[in-house]
Amino acid sequence: MGRLTTHVLDTAHGVPGAGMRVVLYRIGASRESVVETRTNADGRCDGPLVEGSNFRAGTYELDFHAGDYFAARGLELPQPRFVDVVTLRFGISDAGQHYHVPLLVSPFAYSTYRGS
């Protein structure tokens, strides 16, 4: 059964990105919200963002609210924030597979990859 998971690593502090707001969208004729959640103490979501029959091939976006996360940690950030909402657009070609989309983030940089 296919599924989509994510996790966040706070590379500025060397810890999981706990408590970050994450929103998943399906992109078609419009941007359809699929789920909104927050990462747990391990920087992961408590379950898959989407799975089974709700997980379909297509284009998706994940919005990670990194600026709010770093502000909540007490960091003084420039205004406007250099990294604020990180939007990752990616494609799902085989809905029978497990797709894992992690985010490594600091107030001034981020990266991602297709994880396992």
Side-chain angles (χ1 to χ4, degrees), residues 60-92:
Y60 291 81
E61 286 182 352
L62 275 168
D63 280 356
F64 296 90
H65 292 258
D68 291 345
Y69 163 81
F70 286 114
R73 288 192 58 108
L75 271 70
E76 289 189 32
L77 302 171
Q79 295 299 322
R81 298 167 178 163
F82 184 74
V83 171
D84 192 14
V85 177
V86 176
T87 300
L88 302 178
R89 181 177 281 208
F90 57 95
I92 301 297

Side-chain angles (χ1 to χ4, degrees), residues 44-57:
R44 299 176 183 275
C45 299
D46 288 331
L49 296 170
V50 65
E51 64 183 330
S53 62
N54 291 326
F55 188 46
R56 303 188 299 261

Side-chain angles (χ1 to χ4, degrees), residues 3-4 55-60 90-99 114:
R3 66 191 186 279
L4 173 65
F55 188 46
R56 303 188 299 261
T59 303
Y60 291 81
F90 57 95
I92 301 297
S93 59
D94 181 354
Q97 292 187 18
H98 177 198
Y99 285 77
R114 180 170 175 196

